[in-house]
Amino acid sequence: MARSLVVAPWGDFREWSEVEYRLDDVSTKSRSTLRAVLKYERGSGEAYPVVLIPETLVSGDVLGRCRDPECYRKEVYDAVGKDASMFLEEMGVGESRVCVMPNIGDYSMARWEIRGVDLNIVSYYSSMAMLCMLGVGLEKSVDRVVVDLSHGITLW
């Protein structure tokens, strides 16, 4: 029996309408392909979803309230993560992990530094995504990773 980690990078899920998705003989009506992929994967074992959400989905009022990085981080990650978790719950996805990913602003001139090591935004995004996936993968002892790119990769 397979144990799959299903990774789905998303954009603005709040704008999605319900459609019918088909994978082989599995048909599902949903606002996201993730539900169909999970149904397909769960036909041959267990599947654990990880959704990567861009921080750009935060509302302007949160940005206006925060003047320091710690406030921003907490407010953005709480607000965006909670919205995505509620969306997944409404879709009936079951247990899932939502990871809010960095991508606000113009990073072409940005300098990210962690413990004295320069890091570009692509490396930062990739590292954050890997840590999120690794946590679930180790916790659930998965033996394969399925990436659902149906909604695209929202990095910039």
Side-chain angles (χ1 to χ4, degrees):
M1 178 159 78
R3 297 172 64 88
S4 303
L5 178 66
V6 179
V7 181
W10 282 3
D12 191 354
F13 57 91
R14 296 171 291 206
E15 300 296 320
W16 300 342
S17 300
E18 186 174 85
V19 297
E20 184 175 353
Y21 296 101
R22 287 190 209 133
L23 292 170
D24 286 341
D25 60 344
V26 176
S27 178
T28 305
K29 283 190 177 186
S30 179
R31 291 175 59 194
S32 168
T33 54
L34 180 61
R35 190 157 170 237
V37 171
L38 289 171
K39 188 175 178 181
Y40 180 82
E41 286 297 310
R42 288 175 177 156
S44 61
E46 299 173 34
Y48 307 99
V50 172
V51 178
L52 307 177
I53 300 289
E55 66 183 354
T56 51
L57 298 182
V58 70
S59 64
D61 65 320
V62 171
L63 295 176
R65 279 197 311 267
C66 291
R67 298 288 177 233
D68 65 89
E70 194 56 39
C71 171
Y72 171 78
R73 191 173 302 114
K74 177 165 179 21
E75 292 286 330
V76 167
Y77 288 62
D78 284 354
V80 175
K82 188 184 299 181
D83 287 351
S85 293
M86 288 188 330
F87 181 81
L88 289 163
E89 190 175 311
E90 289 168 10
M91 279 197 319
V93 166
E95 179 186 359
S96 60
R97 176 84 47 95
V98 173
C99 298
V100 181
M101 305 303 294
N103 69 343
I104 285 181
D106 177 7
Y107 293 109
S108 61
M109 300 302 288
R111 179 170 179 241
W112 293 77
E113 185 178 300
I114 296 178
R115 295 186 182 173
V117 177
D118 284 341
L119 198 60
N120 68 34
I121 188 59
V122 174
S123 297
Y124 184 52
Y125 182 100
S126 301
S127 298
M128 295 280 291
M130 289 302 294
L131 286 172
C132 178
M133 291 183 286
L134 185 60
V136 176
L138 290 174
E139 178 185 323
K140 302 298 184 181
S141 300
V142 301
D143 52 27
R144 68 182 181 177
V145 176
V146 176
V147 182
D148 176 8
L149 295 178
S150 303
H151 296 297
I153 298 176
T154 306
L155 175 57
W156 302 112

